[in-house]
Amino acid sequence: MRFALKVALRYLGSNPLQSGLLLLGVALAVVAFVFITALIQGLALFLIAQTTGQISHINLEPPTRVARILVDGTTLTERPVSSGQRLQIRHWQRALAIIAREPDVIAARPIITGNVFLLRGEAAATVSVQGLRPDELDAISSISSKIIAGRPRIGGGEILIGARLAEDLGLRLGRPVTLRSDRGGQRLFSIAGIYETGIGSLDERVAIMSLESARPLFDLPTGVTAIEIKLSDPNLAVDLATQLGQQTNLKATPWQEKNRSLQSALTAQGRTGMLIQSFALISIIIGVSSALLLSSYRRRAEIGIMRSFGVSRGFVMVIFVAQGVMIGAIGAGLGCGLGFFFVSQLASIKDATGAQILPVAPFEGGYAAAFILTTLGAALASILPARAAASIDPLEAIQQ
């Protein structure tokens, strides 16, 4: 085996230009593999971060069925007396205590949501209200940092509204507005701040107020409509939602369920990336196979002489397979190094806002997979040339 490796190295070194071009071709294909992988993984991470950064990862809501009674006789939800009343989480403090036991939860806040009519003179608009505890304004999404006018205050009779809503209705700081809910509640509020998140659904129709201000609007003197949860890792949402749903008997909805279109897009994106990576591997296999076939043809006489001295066909096959493995391993190692350098340089390029020009993730380039698949692909590509070389007839080769 050692002698076969020496012969394989000698064959590779006998034509440095051809071997160098072959290694360069393999390396460039690996660079393409690494770049596509880093780009797709980076884009997926970017989209998930953009999506989950502004929303809760798990929502706990009252179930539509009758809640079971817990061990201590407490029920967390209450069925409405009439169809005009809303389901609510009655003992939400108990639910928060259960949630607080989970180490992956970084924030959990009770919230009252509902739709109201915002009235300002003759102008009117349907607005979605979020009632929060003032100290939890930034627990899920940093609203305070998005304030473009006024201050992030929601105490008393103050509210925050989105920039596009303010523009559409001609609202200004300190202006009084009337909010009227479908429950018959009505109250006068003043605009304490205007925020701009860049998310149309928030900036156009969401008003934020204190939890206590929202209670009389929606006739919820003690309960809340939902509990929003933020996790240290958004990918844990599905499993933890199932667990919390069982522990609290509330309807637990992970963010993935509300963003199925994103999951479908990421899945399609991943399949596209795999297709491109497959083409890169195919190009490696074709290149290595072609080069070794040419080498076996050019060395027919030499192989014939070795065979006439009693060298077995298996030995000849080992020589060519060893060449393929060497080409694949060296080319893959070179390509992984160049690929990491390339994507790292791309990741360092920022625009005027400090964001990456391309959302590549240098450490998500799939380097182990690239190295292993390239080496195996080159080894497989060498089998056909190895069999062709081993099948050479010694007499015919020497006579030529």
Side-chain angles (χ1 to χ4, degrees):
M1 177 63 70
R2 184 176 298 177
F3 179 64
L5 293 177
K6 289 183 178 180
V7 174
L9 281 172
R10 186 176 69 82
Y11 279 1
L12 288 176
S14 63
N15 195 333
L17 180 60
Q18 176 180 313
S19 298
L21 290 175
L22 182 57
L23 289 173
L24 181 61
V26 172
L28 291 177
V30 173
V31 169
F33 183 101
V34 168
F35 169 71
I36 292 299
T37 305
L39 179 61
I40 289 176
Q41 293 298 323
L43 185 57
L45 292 173
F46 173 78
L47 291 175
I48 290 175
Q50 287 292 103
T51 301
T52 61
Q54 304 294 333
I55 62 174
S56 57
H57 299 150
I58 299 175
N59 270 32
L60 295 182
E61 300 169 311
T64 54
R65 56 188 174 83
V66 178
R68 63 177 170 83
I69 299 178
L70 300 182
V71 176
D72 62 356
T74 301
T75 57
L76 292 179
T77 62
E78 180 182 74
R79 180 170 292 281
V81 177
S82 66
S83 60
Q85 294 179 320
R86 304 178 69 186
L87 278 171
Q88 60 178 303
I89 303 176
R90 290 177 54 199
H91 299 282
W92 49 271
Q93 297 91 341
R94 170 70 184 276
L96 287 178
I98 295 174
I99 296 168
R101 301 172 191 165
E102 300 298 330
D104 297 307
V105 174
I106 59 176
R109 69 182 183 189
I111 184 173
I112 292 178
T113 60
N115 294 325
V116 300
F117 290 103
L118 187 151
L119 308 173
R120 170 60 181 166
E122 296 182 356
T126 302
V127 175
S128 177
V129 164
Q130 293 183 356
L132 314 170
R133 293 190 288 193
D135 60 334
E136 294 175 338
L137 177 62
D138 298 325
I140 303 299
S141 176
S142 180
I143 295 296
S144 297
S145 63
K146 306 294 192 304
I147 297 294
I148 59 174
R151 297 180 181 180
R153 297 196 307 252
I154 56 174
E158 296 177 315
I159 62 171
L160 305 177
I161 62 172
R164 296 188 65 174
L165 177 62
E167 181 181 353
D168 291 343
L169 298 183
L171 302 176
R172 298 290 183 270
L173 290 177
R175 295 286 181 86
V177 293
T178 300
L179 299 185
R180 181 186 300 159
S181 74
D182 56 357
R183 309 292 171 180
Q186 180 172 308
R187 185 174 176 181
L188 192 68
F189 291 87
S190 64
I191 300 174
I194 298 175
Y195 63 84
E196 185 172 23
T197 64
I199 302 175
S201 58
L202 291 177
D203 296 342
E204 290 178 4
R205 60 182 307 269
V206 174
I208 304 174
M209 64 178 62
S210 69
L211 195 67
E212 296 306 317
S213 297
R215 290 194 182 283
L217 279 178
F218 300 103
D219 192 22
L220 293 174
T222 58
V224 297
T225 59
I227 297 175
E228 297 182 328
I229 301 172
K230 196 86 167 180
L231 305 178
S232 57
D233 183 0
N235 295 317
L236 301 174
V238 173
D239 293 336
L240 193 55
T242 302
Q243 179 180 331
L244 290 176
Q246 294 173 348
Q247 292 177 348
T248 63
N249 199 40
L250 298 173
K251 179 184 178 183
T253 306
W255 68 270
Q256 291 93 335
E257 190 171 324
K258 294 184 177 181
N259 294 271
R260 293 186 183 275
S261 58
L262 174 62
Q263 294 297 308
S264 299
L266 292 178
T267 301
Q269 177 182 284
R271 290 172 181 167
T272 302
M274 290 182 62
L275 184 61
I276 298 175
Q277 292 166 346
S278 299
F279 282 124
L281 290 175
I282 290 172
S283 69
I284 292 173
I285 292 173
I286 293 175
V288 173
S289 182
S290 300
L292 292 182
L293 276 173
L294 179 61
S295 176
S296 67
Y297 181 78
R298 292 174 58 188
R299 299 182 183 279
R300 287 175 61 85
E302 187 174 337
I303 294 172
I305 292 174
M306 286 194 298
R307 293 278 289 113
S308 66
F309 278 97
V311 173
S312 66
R313 292 185 176 183
F315 183 84
V316 175
M317 289 189 66
V318 169
I319 292 174
F320 279 85
V321 172
Q323 288 184 77
V325 172
M326 291 178 185
I327 292 170
I330 296 172
L334 181 62
C336 287
L338 291 175
F340 179 76
F341 176 78
F342 177 62
V343 295
S344 296
Q345 293 302 308
L346 287 178
S348 65
I349 302 175
K350 312 285 186 180
D351 60 16
T353 63
Q356 290 181 223
I357 297 294
L358 285 176
V360 294
F363 294 98
E364 300 291 335
Y367 303 101
F371 184 86
I372 294 172
L373 291 176
T374 300
T375 304
L376 290 177
L380 291 174
S382 66
I383 292 178
L384 180 59
R387 294 184 63 181
S391 64
I392 292 176
D393 184 85
L395 292 178
E396 291 182 3
I398 294 173
Q399 288 175 357
Q400 291 177 356

